[in-house]
Structure formats: C-alpha cells, structure tokens
Amino acid sequence: MPADVERLDRVEPIYETLPGWQRSLAAVRRLADLPSPARAYLDRLQDLAHAPIRYVSVGPGESRL
C-alpha cells in the first residue's frame, strides 16, 4: 500500500470474481472439509498477500480451522 498520497491517488483497483458456495461452514473442522470454492478463495488470498493464512474462522465462538 503506497504511503504517498499522490501515488495512492493513481492506484487503480483490480476486481476479481470467484465462485461462491451455498452451504454453511460452521461444522467444518479441517481445511480438507471445506467446499472447493472456499478453499480456492483462501488460496487466492494467500497468493495475493504473499503470506500464509494461519487461522480460518468458520462460525461463532472457537470455530477455527
């Protein structure tokens, strides 16, 4: 992210559309159990951030993968 306001003013957003999923993830406890579009979404976020995703919250409370 550019810290220079003038450079930031010239930034052009890039939008991507990824497939969604229609089922709840609240009962998922392992990454392998995620629907493939959900896993593809996480993989894309990792690629864009150049960093691994360490935790994924899939519901209220302590529902983490």
Side-chain angles (χ1 to χ4, degrees), residues 3-22:
D4 179 7
V5 176
E6 290 178 18
R7 283 184 65 202
L8 188 59
D9 190 45
R10 295 188 306 267
V11 169
E12 293 283 334
I14 299 172
Y15 295 96
E16 290 186 35
T17 302
L18 300 171
W21 53 94
Q22 299 300 315

Side-chain angles (χ1 to χ4, degrees), residues 8-53:
L8 188 59
D9 190 45
R10 295 188 306 267
V11 169
E12 293 283 334
I14 299 172
Y15 295 96
E16 290 186 35
T17 302
L18 300 171
W21 53 94
Q22 299 300 315
R23 69 175 227 223
S24 170
L25 304 179
V28 173
R29 295 293 173 259
R30 300 178 315 144
L31 285 175
D33 296 334
L34 283 172
S36 60
R39 185 56 199 253
Y41 175 73
L42 295 176
D43 291 343
R44 183 64 181 136
L45 290 178
Q46 286 186 125
D47 291 344
L48 291 169
H50 302 286
I53 293 175

